[in-house]
Amino acid sequence: MQLDQVSVRHGGATGRCVLDAVDLTLAPGERLCILGESGAGKTTLLELISGFRRPDAGRVRLFGMDPARAADSLRSRLRRQRMGFMFQDYALIEHLTAAANIALPLRLDGMAASAAHRHALERLADLGLSHLAAVSASALSGGEKQRVAFARATVHTPGLILADEPTGSLDPATGAEILRLILARDADAGRSVVVVTHNHAHCPHFDRVLVLRGGHLAEAGAPA
């Protein structure tokens, strides 16, 4: 993944500059943490990487293509098949069971319901969560919801996980466990991870840490 001189303004050409000529390269299998305070542009950066947002200037390269310049159908397929997403608010469908939430990306990509359900059950078993399969998402605790969200994000073995404050709503112990799952290398050593967070305590667990401040990315510890 590569960003070349990417810029974004909120509010048009005369609006606030959120990202200013940002360069970023992510190596296959790399675990990257991007630190930033609220409003720094962390979510905007993830939206650019995933193709949900077009930059006002510059270019994004992901899996050999520019998602912002691709057709909607190709961009959607890229997200369904090659990316996994995690969010602070979990983004589960509350009335569906844990297994149905996990199966959803597979169903959206055309897999038969029975096969998608089987894959979801296998993923839950891998994580020691088989007992949650038939439980409605609305009945899960915060930690359980984020574990199910992780299972959903990885059930299709994506090449890239994008996580937006995935531990922000959790207590420290549960957050540490979720972070361990996200960063584990044993399941898929080639999977890249980008986590955006305001939590400096996460930094030691990553291959590289960057700070987003004033529209610019810098190595952690470098002068602003």
Side-chain angles (χ1 to χ4, degrees), residues 73-91:
S73 59
L74 180 58
R75 190 164 59 246
S76 295
R77 186 164 70 249
L78 183 73
R79 286 193 290 262
R80 288 196 310 269
Q81 296 178 350
R82 307 192 70 174
M83 301 184 210
F85 299 89
M86 295 182 67
F87 308 92
Q88 180 174 345
D89 63 356
Y90 322 119

Side-chain angles (χ1 to χ4, degrees), residues 75-153:
R75 190 164 59 246
S76 295
R77 186 164 70 249
L78 183 73
R79 286 193 290 262
R80 288 196 310 269
Q81 296 178 350
R82 307 192 70 174
M83 301 184 210
F85 299 89
M86 295 182 67
F87 308 92
Q88 180 174 345
D89 63 356
Y90 322 119
L92 299 178
I93 299 177
E94 293 287 292
H95 68 274
L96 294 182
T97 65
N101 269 283
I102 295 166
L104 191 58
L106 303 176
R107 295 286 291 125
L108 291 174
D109 201 37
M111 185 178 290
S114 58
H117 184 68
R118 184 174 66 253
H119 281 289
L121 294 180
E122 290 171 353
R123 194 74 190 101
L124 283 166
D126 289 342
L127 296 171
L129 301 175
S130 294
H131 60 290
L132 299 179
V135 179
S136 170
S138 62
L140 300 175
S141 69
E144 290 170 339
K145 286 182 177 181
Q146 199 59 294
R147 288 178 176 88
V148 170
F150 172 76
R152 180 187 58 188

Side-chain angles (χ1 to χ4, degrees), residues 9-210:
R9 286 185 177 275
H10 285 175
T14 60
R16 181 174 69 92
C17 184
V18 180
L19 300 174
D20 185 9
V22 168
D23 290 320
L24 175 63
T25 299
L26 183 71
E30 184 177 14
R31 272 62 173 162
L32 172 65
C33 177
I34 298 178
L35 284 172
E37 300 302 321
S38 178
K42 304 187 302 297
T43 299
T44 299
L45 187 60
L46 291 187
E47 290 173 347
L48 286 172
I49 293 171
S50 60
F52 279 111
R53 186 186 188 109
R54 288 179 170 85
D56 295 319
R59 188 169 184 177
V60 178
R61 299 292 295 175
L62 182 65
F63 299 118
M65 60 174 284
D66 183 344
R69 290 176 168 83
D72 288 345
S73 59
L74 180 58
R75 190 164 59 246
S76 295
R77 186 164 70 249
L78 183 73
R79 286 193 290 262
R80 288 196 310 269
Q81 296 178 350
R82 307 192 70 174
M83 301 184 210
F85 299 89
M86 295 182 67
F87 308 92
Q88 180 174 345
D89 63 356
Y90 322 119
L92 299 178
I93 299 177
E94 293 287 292
H95 68 274
L96 294 182
T97 65
N101 269 283
I102 295 166
L104 191 58
L106 303 176
R107 295 286 291 125
L108 291 174
D109 201 37
M111 185 178 290
S114 58
H117 184 68
R118 184 174 66 253
H119 281 289
L121 294 180
E122 290 171 353
R123 194 74 190 101
L124 283 166
D126 289 342
L127 296 171
L129 301 175
S130 294
H131 60 290
L132 299 179
V135 179
S136 170
S138 62
L140 300 175
S141 69
E144 290 170 339
K145 286 182 177 181
Q146 199 59 294
R147 288 178 176 88
V148 170
F150 172 76
R152 180 187 58 188
T154 55
V155 68
H156 55 304
T157 60
L160 174 64
I161 290 181
L162 301 175
D164 192 352
E165 297 279 6
T167 67
S169 298
L170 305 175
D171 63 81
T174 305
E177 171 61 16
I178 295 300
L179 192 65
R180 185 193 67 77
L181 288 174
I182 294 171
L183 299 180
R185 296 181 184 274
D186 52 352
D188 186 353
R191 184 174 65 214
S192 302
V193 174
V194 179
V195 173
V196 301
T197 182
H198 66 276
N199 192 340
H200 290 252
H202 293 338
C203 295
H205 305 287
F206 288 83
D207 300 322
R208 185 163 51 121
V209 179
L210 300 176

